[in-house]
Amino acid sequence: MSTDSHHYYEPSQGHRLPHDPLNAIVAPRPIGWISTRGASGSVNLAPYSFFNVFNYNPPIVGFSSTGWKDTVRNARQTGEFVWNLATRKTAESMNASSAVVPYESDEFVLSGLTAAPSRRVGPPRVAESPVNFECKVIDIQQLKDHRGTALQTWLVLGEVVAVHILKSLLVDGIFDTFGAGIIVRAGGATAYAEIRPDTRFDMTRPR
């Protein structure tokens, strides 16, 4: 039941809102634009809204898939994937790559993107993306709820073994987060946001 100042709900009972607020509150979220290659050689490219970085050394990234999808199957078969940075320039292509198509379909072709060879892993990189992380799979875990019941959701963790960064985005050796045109998922089913210079603020950590 809602109080006067807060909307209260228990997720197991439903949120009673037009759109699940979880995705809007934990926002904006980086996009896991993942390319993989299956054991048969088929290539897959798909975006995941549950993605982040989890460790510095070695660098570890991960994404979560609701449902056993082609990306997870490929990652398990070959133990590799590539994360590609989604930007405003590639937003429409990234969105096109989310279409539900047969397993053997090549989303690079469907999205009008160029598959560039990786150096340490088999799956190709998105050439139009200014940053790519080549990754080796560390673990694939089926998630559970607090009762131990298995969910139809899989978490894929990978170690970044090679990094490609467009040199023009390195300003005095520092990656230009605000000039890269990075896009992120925002609240609502269709909402995205671009990280722009006018949203920047700076703080110094206390010593």
Side-chain angles (χ1 to χ4, degrees), residues 64-183:
S64 181
S65 173
T66 302
W68 184 263
K69 296 178 181 176
D70 296 342
T71 301
V72 182
R73 171 166 52 177
N74 289 351
R76 172 161 286 179
Q77 287 179 353
T78 65
E80 299 175 336
F81 66 90
V82 178
W83 172 79
N84 306 276
L85 181 65
T87 65
R88 187 64 190 90
K89 290 181 179 179
T90 62
E92 283 70 28
S93 295
M94 181 276 298
N95 189 50
S97 71
S98 69
V100 178
V101 295
Y103 176 63
E104 296 297 331
S105 300
D106 188 336
E107 285 84 1
F108 278 90
V109 175
L110 295 175
S111 306
L113 295 165
T114 306
S118 297
R119 297 181 64 173
R120 293 285 309 278
V121 300
R125 301 176 291 118
V126 174
E128 290 80 1
S129 175
V131 181
N132 318 95
F133 293 165
E134 300 182 22
C135 302
K136 295 281 190 178
V137 172
I138 297 172
D139 199 8
I140 300 177
Q141 285 287 338
Q142 185 173 11
L143 299 185
K144 302 176 182 178
D145 65 16
H146 74 281
R147 299 181 183 87
T149 303
L151 306 175
Q152 293 303 303
T153 303
W154 282 265
L155 173 65
V156 181
L157 295 174
E159 178 180 340
V160 180
V161 296
V163 178
H164 305 255
I165 304 174
L166 190 65
K167 288 183 178 179
S168 62
L169 292 177
L170 295 174
V171 181
D172 297 325
I174 298 175
F175 182 74
D176 185 8
T177 303
F178 298 92
I182 297 172
I183 58 171

